[in-house]
Structure formats: structure tokens, C-alpha cells
Amino acid sequence: MTASDGVVRAASAPEDLSPVLVWHPLAEQFRKALRLRIPGIPIETHAGVGRLRRPSAADVLLAWTLPPGALDQLPALRWIQVAGAGVDHFLMRDDLRPQVELTRSNGRFGLQVAEYVVGYLLHTLLGIEDYRRNQDRGVWRQLPRPLLSDRRIGIIGLGNIGSAIAERLTPFGVQILGVCRTARPVPHVARVFAKDDWHAMLPLCDALVVAAPLTTETAGMIDAKAIRALPAGAILLNVGRGGLLDEIALLEALRDGHLGAAILDVFQQEPLPADSPLWTEPRAWVTPHIAGPSEVDPIADEFSENYRHFVSDEPLLNRVERERGY
Ligand code: GLV
């Protein structure tokens, strides 16, 4: 049971609690946070990037990324809670056995990514960078200053993150369009396009925010054709995954002026290689996959709630459907 203080009072005695391995750079903080929430929980931790020194008997794993073959070192594993929103990197693994349940975390990723998007959109539309450059050269020049409230923004992916972006953009008066697999109505989104007619949304968007999961269906969807369907001067933001976007087509569109700016938090290869032309492209903004960082407390809360389900044999929350890819 979860009491009002958030502590899991397990129905079972501590010796019946399932052993957990926390494999995360913040593993020690997770250990403390989980012990407060689930007294007696048996926890091993691993904060390193290499494999475990010896196999683990844990049947539960809380992790973000793991080296290849790491899951083979957990023969009793029954459930993995991914400490992030995207699970593509787990679904691609060779060592993920079919009977292992996979769940993801919501954390405060929606809020975090939405603040990132609002910040970068305002920064770009208000011309903050252009005025700084002009100031450096002592240039007094008034540039056009479009308002967010006269703009239309398209969001690809209207899950937890995409819908939080729509919510946070709404107070600026922006008109929001969106794409989701099932084309269901979504609060704050004026028009939702389905996966088979989403190209029709692109010419309507002054800015396009890519916030979809990476799956076999979405891989490479923002290709040259999609980029060219955006109006001239449009802004592209990618907070989903690098694999959704054709980086070569993007660079071409920045260089020939078709795109006004690209704001990129995720890349085909991370860290972005030192010789990537994106680093020095004047109208690309590169951030190192920080739009939605892992926070210990919200993830520990979600994990504890799910752990209670796990030890009571109840269905887990935020289950990943492997065939769907998220
Ligand atoms: C970050 O990219 C996440 O998937 O949580």
C-alpha cells in the first residue's frame, strides 16, 4: 500500500521484496530515495558505464542506458523500468528477452521539454541572437519581430511530452496543430492530423516541434520532402530522437535559407561528433540531450508505485507495447 506520506508499505515481509538493481549515474541518490519510499527494499547499485563485475540476482532493474550484453548478467530479470521517456534504445537490444516487462518513466519530462521549447522559440522569434550579433558590431538595425500569438506551431507526437508542449505554448496565443498515431482530440491542439495525412500539416507550420518516439514507423520521417514542405523561414525543433530526422537534408535546408533555424537537442550520433558541421552552422542551436534530464525524486515516486504493483502481482503502469515501439 502507498500511504499518504508516499511510503510503500509492502504487503509482503521485507525478505519477500524483489531484489532491485539500479544501474544509473545517479544510482546512489536513487538508493536513498527508494529506501525512504520502500523500507527494507533490497537494492544493489551500479553507477559505472562498464558491465557488472559479477552476475546479479535482481529480478527488477531501474536503468537508463546499459552496455551491450548487460542484460545477460541478470538471469532472473522480470521487469525493467527505464528511467526515461524514450525506450527505443532498449527495444533495439539483442539481450532483451521477450518475457521481460518494460515500463517507462514520465518524470517531469513533459514540463522540462515544454520549457525548453518555449525558451528556444521565444529566443529565436524575438531575434535575441541577431541583436547580440549586431550589438557586437555596433549595428543599430530594427528587425521584424513576429509574435507567438500570430504563429502556428505543429507538434509531431502528442503523448505526455507533446501535449505538455501544447499546454505551455497555449498562453502565448499560438495556434497549435499536431500529429498523433490515432488522431484523437488532444487538449490545446486546434487540429490533429493522423499518421497518413500528417504531411498536409507541414505547409501550415511556422515552427515544427518533433517530439515523437523513435519507432520503425517514425524513423527518418523528417526527411528532405518533409523539411521542404515547411514554409520558407520555418523553425525546426527536435526534442524527440536524432533518428527521426535526416541531418543532411536539414543542413542543406539551413544553408540554402529554406529553414530559419534548427534547435536540436538530439542527434543521430551522441555525443555529436566533433567534426559535425552542425556545431558551427550559424542557424543551428545544439544542446547535448538536456531538454528532459532525469530527476531522482519523480522517477523514484513512479518506480515505487510500480514496484508495489509488481510485488502484489498487479498490472504495471506505463507499460511499453513492444510491437508499437513505445
Ligand atoms: C530522454 O531522452 C528520455 O527519453 O527520457
Side-chain angles (χ1 to χ4, degrees), residues 112 116 120 265-266 287-293:
Q112 291 169 323
Y116 174 99
Y120 275 91
D265 187 51
V266 286
T287 54
H289 203 141
I290 46 68

Side-chain angles (χ1 to χ4, degrees), residues 8 15-16 25 38 47 71 117 122 161 170 193 222 225 243 245 250 271 275 286 312 317:
V8 175
E15 63 273 16
D16 296 332
I38 316 170
L71 297 178
V117 169
L122 286 173
I161 293 180
T170 294
F193 292 74
I222 311 299
K225 182 169 165 225
L245 177 70
L250 171 89
D275 61 355
V286 168
S312 331
L317 307 171

Side-chain angles (χ1 to χ4, degrees), residues 235-278:
I235 299 166
L236 182 58
L237 294 93
N238 190 6
V239 289
R241 284 288 183 263
L244 297 166
L245 177 70
D246 178 341
E247 284 176 4
I248 298 189
L250 171 89
L251 264 166
E252 270 170 27
L254 284 171
R255 286 178 178 161
D256 67 22
H258 177 69
L259 282 180
I263 290 132
L264 307 167
D265 187 51
V266 286
F267 301 89
Q268 282 169 9
Q269 194 184 330
E270 294 182 13
L272 184 64
D275 61 355
S276 167
L278 286 169

Side-chain angles (χ1 to χ4, degrees), residues 5-243:
D5 55 5
V7 172
V8 175
R9 313 243 183 264
S12 2
E15 63 273 16
D16 296 332
L17 291 176
S18 296
V20 177
L21 172 65
V22 179
W23 188 322
H24 197 281
L26 304 174
E28 284 314 310
Q29 293 181 42
F30 272 114
R31 183 206 292 272
K32 285 198 196 107
L34 294 179
R35 285 253 160 91
L36 284 175
R37 290 162 174 80
I38 316 170
I41 185 172
I43 303 185
E44 279 175 80
T45 55
H46 185 64
V49 286
R51 286 165 52 127
L52 300 175
R53 244 185 255 134
R54 63 187 79 83
S56 160
D59 52 13
V60 177
L61 173 67
L62 173 63
W64 171 234
T65 51
L66 304 169
L71 297 178
D72 295 333
Q73 295 186 287
L74 291 105
L77 190 64
R78 289 194 289 139
W79 163 42
I80 303 172
Q81 172 122 1
V82 180
V87 296
D88 45 288
H89 55 304
F90 271 86
L91 294 178
M92 280 188 275
R93 299 183 66 95
D94 298 333
D95 56 356
L96 179 66
R97 297 183 292 280
Q99 65 277 18
V100 174
E101 281 256 44
L102 198 60
T103 59
R104 70 170 161 278
S105 303
N106 289 327
R108 294 201 298 173
F109 301 125
L111 182 57
Q112 291 169 323
V113 176
E115 289 189 359
Y116 174 99
V117 169
V118 169
Y120 275 91
L121 271 177
L122 286 173
H123 177 265
T124 313
L125 286 174
L126 293 177
I128 291 172
E129 194 77 10
D130 300 325
Y131 285 115
R132 179 78 236 179
R133 283 194 196 125
N134 286 351
Q135 181 183 341
D136 290 344
R137 292 180 292 128
V139 172
W140 177 275
R141 181 179 305 137
Q142 293 171 339
L143 303 168
R145 201 162 87 62
L147 293 178
L148 269 180
S149 57
D150 293 332
R151 310 258 111 184
R152 266 194 303 222
I153 296 183
I155 304 174
I156 306 227
L158 292 169
N160 274 330
I161 293 180
S163 50
I165 295 171
E167 184 184 348
R168 295 279 149 171
L169 285 172
T170 294
F172 293 98
V174 66
Q175 192 189 29
I176 296 161
L177 311 174
V179 179
C180 78
R181 216 167 142 257
T182 50
R184 65 200 147 79
V186 175
H188 310 290
V189 182
R191 185 165 165 202
V192 178
F193 292 74
K195 61 176 184 172
D196 42 5
D197 71 344
W198 68 275
H199 270 100
M201 179 185 85
L202 298 173
L204 309 175
C205 300
D206 297 298
L208 181 70
V209 183
V210 184
L214 178 62
T215 68
T216 46
E217 264 185 80
T218 62
M221 69 187 286
I222 311 299
D223 54 9
K225 182 169 165 225
I227 293 171
R228 296 287 156 182
L230 291 166
I235 299 166
L236 182 58
L237 294 93
N238 190 6
V239 289
R241 284 288 183 263

